[in-house]
C-alpha cells in the first residue's frame, strides 16, 4: 500500500473525473478541463491552482489568518450561550458544526455567498447525505431526493455566481494580485477557479458544478476531525489531557484581533499528536491508482526481504487506509482501535516529549500520497489545530453525557456515522452534551 501511495508516477485521473461527474452532474468534457494534465505542462488546471494557492507557505498563511478571523466572528456572533449556572446542556456537534461550516465557507468563498444563499448549510448537508447514492450511480427514479438536493445546491450556487458577475461587471479580482481575500470573490483559490471558468466560457451553471466539487472536498474531513478531537478531549478518561492541551493552546502568542501565532501553535507536541491520532483513527480513505504500466511493489510494509507482486498495466488498484491505520502489527502499544493522545510523542535526546511521524512510513497516510496526495493537507492541519485551540481558549466546557442520533441519553461513546467506505471522515453517530461558558479570563491577547 505504501509503495503504491507514495509512487509519484501513478495517478488517478480517471477516478477523479468519474467521481466529479457523479457528485456534481458535470460532463466528462468539463471534468477533463480541470483534472487532465495538459501536454505542455504535465499538470492539470486544478493542480496549477492548488500548487500556487494551497501549497505555497505564504498563501497558506493568508488562508489560515483569514480562517481564524472568520471562525472567531462565527463563534462570537453565532454562539447563543446562557449566562446562568444551571444552563441547559447542548450537543457539541449541534452547536459547533454550523459555526465551523460558516467560517470555512466565508474563508474560501467570501462572505457574500452565505449572505446571498443563507440556506446553503442546510442544503449542503442534505446533499452530502445523498452523495453516496450519486457516487453509486443510482438512477434518478430510485434516489429522487439525492438529485433534488444536488439541483437545489447547484441552483443556489449558480444564482450567487450570476449575481456576483453582474455586480462586478464580470470582473473577478486577480487571484495573483495583492489582495489575499475579497468579500465577494473570496480566496485566491476560488478566484482561480472563477478565472478558469471565464477563460473557457463556462456558464454560471457549469461553473457551479466545478465549485461544488471543491466545496465537497473542502467539507469532507476537517470539520469532522475538529469535532472528534474535541469529543475526545472533553470526555477523556485521563483528567489531565484537556488541561495539558489547553495549556499548549494558551502558551502561544495571541493578537488583539483574536488571531494566534500559528507557527508557534504548529510546534506544540501534544496538539500535533492528538491531531495525528484523530486522523489515524477516523480517516477512511480509499487510495486509488490507475496503472499506465506494469508495476512491481513489495507486499506488506516493504523492506529488502519482503516478497513482491507484479501488477499489470491497465489495472485499477484500490487500497483502504482504514486497514493499515488499525493494523495491530503496525501500531504497537495501545491497541490501534483505541484513542491514544500520546501515540505520536517520542522522547528526544534531552528526554523531552516531541511530536514525530518518523516511525510511521507507509502506516500513517490520511492524505494519501504520491502525486494525487491531498493538495489541501497543509491548510487542513492548520485549520483543525487552530479551530481546537481557538475554541478551548474562548470557552470552558462541562461534560454532561452522551446522546444517540435520536437525542436519547446513552452511556456509550459515539461511533462513526455510517457512510460509503473510503470517502473520508464520518461525523459522530451521536453527540456529547456539554454546558458551555465563555472563559472568564480571555487569553486571546497576550
Amino acid at each position: 500500500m505504501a509503495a503504491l501511495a507514495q509512487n509519484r508516477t501513478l495517478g488517478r485521473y480517471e477516478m477523479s473525473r468519474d467521481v466529479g461527474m457523479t457528485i456534481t452532474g458535470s460532463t466528462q468534457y468539463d471534468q477533463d478541463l480541470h483534472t487532465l494534465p495538459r501536454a505542455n505542462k504535465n499538470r492539470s488546471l486544478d493542480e496549477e491552482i492548488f500548487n500556487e494557492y494551497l501549497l505555497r507557505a505564504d498563501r497558506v498563511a493568508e488562508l489560515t489568518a483569514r480562517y481564524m478571523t472568520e471562525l472567531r466572528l462565527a463563534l462570537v456572533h453565532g454562539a447563543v450561550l446562557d449566562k446562568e449556572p444551571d444552563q441547559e446542556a447542548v450537543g457539541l456537534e449541534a452547536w459547533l458544526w454550523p459555526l465551523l461550516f460558516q467560517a470555512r465557507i466565508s474563508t474560501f468563498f467570501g462572505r457574500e455567498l452565505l449572505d446571498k444563499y443563507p440556506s446553503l448549510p442546510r442544503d449542503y448537508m442534505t446533499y452530502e447525505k445523498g452523495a453516496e447514492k450519486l457516487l453509486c450511480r443510482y438512477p434518478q427514479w430510485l434516489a429522487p431526493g439525492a438529485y433534488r438536493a444536488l439541483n437545489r445546491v447547484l441552483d443556489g450556487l449558480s444564482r450567487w455566481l450570476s449575481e456576483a458577475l453582474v455586480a462586478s461587471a464580470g470582473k473577478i479580482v486577480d487571484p495573483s494580485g495583492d489582495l489575499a481575500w475579497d468579500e465577494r470573490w473570496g480566496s485566491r483559490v476560488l478566484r482561480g477557479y472563477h478565472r478558469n471558468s471565464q477563460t473557457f466560457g463556462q456558464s454560471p451553471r457549469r461553473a457551479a458544478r466545478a465549485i461544488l466539487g471543491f466545496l465537497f472536498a473542502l467539507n469532507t474531513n476537517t470539520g469532522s476531525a475538529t469535532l472528534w478531537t474535541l469529543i475526545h478531549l472533553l470526555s477523556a478518561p485521563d483528567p489531565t489531557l484537556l488541561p495539558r492541551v489547553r495549556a499548549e493552546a494558551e502558551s502561544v502568542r495571541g493578537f488583539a484581533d483574536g488571531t494566534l501565532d500559528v507557527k508557534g501553535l504548529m510546534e506544540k507536541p501534544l496538539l500535533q499528536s492528538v491531531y495525528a491520532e484523530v486522523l489515524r483513527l477516523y480517516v477512511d480513505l480509499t487510495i486509488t491508482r490507475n496503472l499506465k504500466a506494469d508495476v512491481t511493489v513489495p507486499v506488506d510494509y516493504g523492506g529488502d526481504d519482503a516478497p513482491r507482486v507484479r501488477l499489470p498495466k491497465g489495472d485499477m488498484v484500490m487500497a483502504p487506509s482504514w486497514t493499515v491505520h488499525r493494523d495491530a502489527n503496525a501500531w504497537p502499544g495501545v491497541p490501534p482501535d483505541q484513542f491514544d493522545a500520546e501515540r505520536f510523542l517520542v522522547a528526544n535526546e534531552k528526554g523531552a516529549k516531541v511530536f514525530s511521524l518518523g516511525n510511521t512510513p507507509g502506516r500513517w497516510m490520511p492524505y494519501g500520497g504520491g502525486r494525487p496526495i491531498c493538495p489541501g493537507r497543509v491548510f487542513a492541519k492548520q485549520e483543525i489545530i487552530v479551530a481546537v485551540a481557538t475554541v478551548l481558549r474562548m470557552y470552558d466546557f462541562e461534560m454532561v453525557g452522551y446522546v444517540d442520533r435520536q437525542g436519547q441519553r446513552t452511556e456509550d461513546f459515539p461511533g462513526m456515522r455510517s457512510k460509503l467506505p473510503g470517502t473520508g471522515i464520518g461525523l459522530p453517530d451521536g453527540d456529547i452534551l456539554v454546558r458551555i461558558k465563555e472563559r472568564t479570563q480571555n487569553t486571546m491577547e497576550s
Side-chain angles (χ1 to χ4, degrees):
M1 176 173 171
L4 285 171
Q6 296 165 3
N7 189 319
R8 297 194 62 81
T9 67
L10 301 178
R12 60 173 190 195
Y13 300 108
E14 293 86 349
M15 179 71 172
S16 297
R17 178 196 65 205
D18 291 348
V19 168
M21 289 170 62
T22 55
I23 66 172
T24 69
S26 62
T27 64
Q28 180 174 333
Y29 174 80
D30 280 346
Q31 282 297 313
D32 286 348
L33 281 179
H34 290 278
T35 61
L36 275 184
R38 294 186 289 171
N40 59 331
K41 293 189 176 182
N42 197 33
R43 290 194 305 188
S44 68
L45 286 174
D46 279 5
E47 286 176 320
E48 290 181 7
I49 290 174
F50 298 151
N51 288 343
E52 182 67 19
Y53 304 127
L54 272 180
L55 290 172
R56 276 179 46 178
D58 56 337
R59 304 306 198 202
V60 175
E62 291 174 348
L63 276 173
T64 304
R66 172 52 53 182
Y67 178 72
M68 283 189 284
T69 298
E70 298 303 317
L71 177 61
R72 188 165 172 81
L73 284 171
L75 289 167
V76 169
H77 297 295
V80 181
L81 305 177
D82 288 333
K83 306 296 183 181
E84 301 300 324
D86 60 346
Q87 66 165 296
E88 189 172 333
V90 298
L92 181 69
E93 179 191 337
W95 170 69
L96 187 58
W97 178 262
L99 305 179
L100 294 174
F101 186 90
Q102 176 185 332
R104 199 177 307 115
I105 294 302
S106 297
T107 296
F108 279 90
F109 290 80
R111 290 183 191 149
E112 271 199 14
L113 173 55
L114 288 175
D115 289 342
K116 300 289 187 181
Y117 184 12
S119 65
L120 173 61
R122 182 184 67 247
D123 290 351
Y124 177 81
M125 290 302 292
T126 304
Y127 157 75
E128 190 178 72
K129 289 176 182 176
E132 67 179 53
K133 294 181 178 179
L134 300 176
L135 280 168
C136 292
R137 302 178 186 272
Y138 277 46
Q140 188 165 348
W141 64 266
L142 196 57
Y147 285 89
R148 281 196 302 269
L150 167 62
N151 286 315
R152 190 179 303 119
V153 174
L154 288 173
D155 288 343
L157 292 175
S158 302
R159 185 169 56 251
W160 157 70
L161 185 54
S162 296
E163 292 177 1
L165 288 168
V166 170
S168 60
K171 295 180 180 178
I172 297 168
V173 179
D174 185 359
S176 62
D178 294 335
L179 192 64
W181 181 85
D182 181 70
E183 186 101 8
R184 172 173 294 139
W185 294 111
S187 64
R188 297 181 189 274
V189 182
L190 263 294
R191 279 142 50 197
Y193 266 88
H194 296 316
R195 277 289 186 91
N196 284 342
S197 294
Q198 277 193 327
T199 299
F200 290 101
Q202 292 182 319
S203 66
R205 184 73 173 193
R206 289 171 63 196
R209 296 186 190 278
I211 294 169
L212 178 56
F214 183 82
L215 178 61
F216 185 82
L218 184 66
N219 285 283
T220 298
N221 290 316
T222 54
S224 300
T226 302
L227 281 171
W228 280 117
T229 302
L230 288 168
I231 288 173
H232 278 285
L233 293 177
L234 298 177
S235 61
D238 176 5
T240 73
L241 179 59
L242 177 59
R244 286 187 290 139
V245 171
R246 177 173 273 152
E248 284 193 343
E250 291 181 337
S251 68
V252 301
R253 184 182 179 193
F255 303 103
D257 62 357
T259 60
L260 304 174
D261 173 12
V262 176
K263 183 177 183 297
L265 198 60
M266 294 302 115
E267 294 172 351
K268 298 303 176 184
L270 185 54
L271 264 169
Q272 291 190 86
S273 182
V274 170
Y275 150 83
E277 177 69 347
V278 164
L279 295 194
R280 183 199 67 80
L281 192 58
Y282 292 107
V283 165
D284 181 13
L285 175 72
T286 298
I287 296 172
T288 305
R289 297 293 183 268
N290 300 104
L291 304 186
K292 302 298 185 183
D294 292 351
V295 176
T296 301
V297 296
V299 177
D300 201 22
Y301 297 107
D304 294 337
D305 299 327
R308 310 180 93 77
V309 62
R310 176 179 169 275
L311 303 173
K313 174 183 177 180
D315 276 6
M316 175 185 286
V317 182
M318 305 179 79
S321 66
W322 185 268
T323 53
V324 69
H325 281 175
R326 292 172 176 248
D327 183 354
N329 294 320
W331 302 98
V334 176
D337 61 347
Q338 297 178 22
F339 177 81
D340 178 10
E342 299 189 16
R343 193 182 297 273
F344 294 89
L345 296 183
V346 298
N348 64 12
E349 63 277 3
K350 297 181 180 179
K353 289 183 176 181
V354 296
F355 172 72
S356 174
L357 291 172
N359 62 346
T360 62
R363 294 165 172 80
W364 189 82
M365 46 183 64
Y367 297 110
R371 181 167 180 170
I373 191 171
C374 173
R377 61 193 181 277
V378 179
F379 174 75
K381 178 180 180 179
Q382 295 188 11
E383 178 190 345
I384 294 165
I385 292 179
V386 159
V388 170
T390 300
V391 169
L392 293 182
R393 286 171 66 117
M394 291 179 65
Y395 302 104
D396 283 318
F397 297 87
E398 177 192 347
M399 168 71 176
V400 175
Y402 302 117
V403 292
D404 60 22
R405 285 285 298 282
Q406 288 70 46
Q408 300 300 309
R409 294 292 291 270
T410 176
E411 298 298 318
D412 298 328
F413 186 89
M416 192 159 68
R417 199 172 300 175
S418 176
K419 63 180 297 185
L420 190 67
T423 56
I425 302 179
L427 285 166
D429 190 26
D431 207 346
I432 64 169
L433 293 177
V434 291
R435 293 190 178 95
I436 309 170
K437 292 287 186 182
E438 293 181 15
R439 307 274 323 267
T440 54
Q441 180 182 0
N442 190 337
T443 58
M444 294 302 288
E445 295 182 38
S446 58

